[in-house]
Amino acid sequence: MQTNSVSFPSEEDRAAALAKSLHGWRVPIVRLDAILHWEQPPALGGIIAGITLAFLLIGWLQPPLVSMLAIVGLLLLIADFVVPLAASWLLSSGVAGIAWTEADDRRYRDTCARLVGVWDSVSGLASQMLTLRRDRPQFYLAIALPALLSLLVLAEKINNLFLAYLIIVSGLLLPGLLGSGVAASAARQLYELIRARVQALQQRSAGSKDPKAE
């Protein structure tokens, strides 16, 4: 009796598909990747200054949440049409010395592969949490409840707009921090410490449930 096996696309295939779908955005993606990795500090400073100005305007005007979401959605919709057309025109006309090189193409594909890897990490973490919720609900509750309560206390102590600003700016600085050896080493040590603690708690929980062999 034959069984039908389901084949999933590999990470390389998904990265190639993502690169194809974002083809019109390849120039901004490559330039932004260079900026976020601190290769162009003035441009990164300009982006952070623009975000700071935008948050100051939001705090001053205090627009309704629905209106702000509508404006953000409108800007994203316009950018989705304008940016690919502008990038194509800049490449074809050669304005400001913008040209697409083999190094840019290599970097673009590497960036798409990293994006696929980030998505796999996030989806893998979500899958692990769902598995933990199914197999060890008490341990899942012991992790999720303090995390949500800590987030609630943090949101009560810090202005939500300022908290959003800190999260966005930290996200912009994160690629450059991870690219440095010190930050990567610290993040790795912290990850190993957390994983060791979680494994110890899981083993302790499993030992308390399993009956002792006579």
Side-chain angles (χ1 to χ4, degrees):
M1 181 177 179
Q2 296 181 351
T3 58
N4 296 327
S5 59
V6 180
S7 60
F8 296 96
S10 63
E11 184 175 346
E12 292 79 7
D13 294 336
R14 288 183 289 122
L18 180 62
K20 183 178 180 180
S21 63
L22 296 177
H23 182 74
W25 284 80
R26 66 190 188 279
V27 175
I29 288 175
V30 169
R31 300 297 181 265
L32 184 61
D33 182 71
I35 292 172
L36 294 182
H37 284 85
W38 298 0
E39 298 177 14
Q40 301 176 10
L44 179 60
I47 291 176
I48 294 178
I51 292 175
T52 303
L53 179 60
F55 271 90
L56 288 176
L57 288 175
I58 293 174
W60 178 46
L61 298 176
Q62 294 184 351
L65 178 61
V66 177
S67 300
M68 189 168 59
L69 292 178
I71 293 174
V72 172
L74 181 62
L75 292 176
L76 292 176
L77 180 64
I78 295 174
D80 190 34
F81 283 93
V82 173
V83 170
L85 294 176
S88 178
W89 177 77
L90 289 174
L91 286 177
S92 60
S93 61
V95 177
I98 296 178
W100 188 254
T101 63
E102 184 178 351
D104 292 333
D105 188 72
R106 212 165 33 243
R107 182 163 198 160
Y108 172 62
R109 296 185 181 279
D110 291 342
T111 303
C112 291
R114 288 199 305 270
L115 291 176
V116 171
V118 170
W119 173 257
D120 288 344
S121 299
V122 173
S123 60
L125 180 60
S127 177
Q128 290 179 359
M129 294 301 294
L130 290 176
T131 302
L132 188 64
R133 179 180 179 273
R134 184 186 66 242
D135 298 339
R136 300 184 183 278
Q138 295 179 351
F139 184 68
Y140 168 81
L141 186 64
I143 294 178
L145 188 59
L148 293 176
L149 289 176
S150 300
L151 183 61
L152 179 62
V153 173
L154 184 65
E156 288 292 331
K157 297 295 183 180
I158 303 177
N159 181 271
N160 291 342
L161 187 62
F162 181 65
L163 184 60
Y165 171 77
L166 290 179
I167 292 174
I168 293 176
V169 172
S170 300
L172 292 175
L173 297 176
L174 184 61
L177 288 173
L178 293 179
S180 62
V182 176
S185 177
R188 194 181 306 112
Q189 292 178 2
L190 180 61
Y191 172 76
E192 293 296 335
L193 178 61
I194 294 175
R195 188 177 68 172
R197 292 292 179 86
V198 170
Q199 289 178 351
L201 290 174
Q202 287 179 339
Q203 293 175 359
R204 186 180 305 173
S205 177
S208 62
K209 287 185 177 182
D210 294 338
K212 295 183 179 179
E214 296 181 359

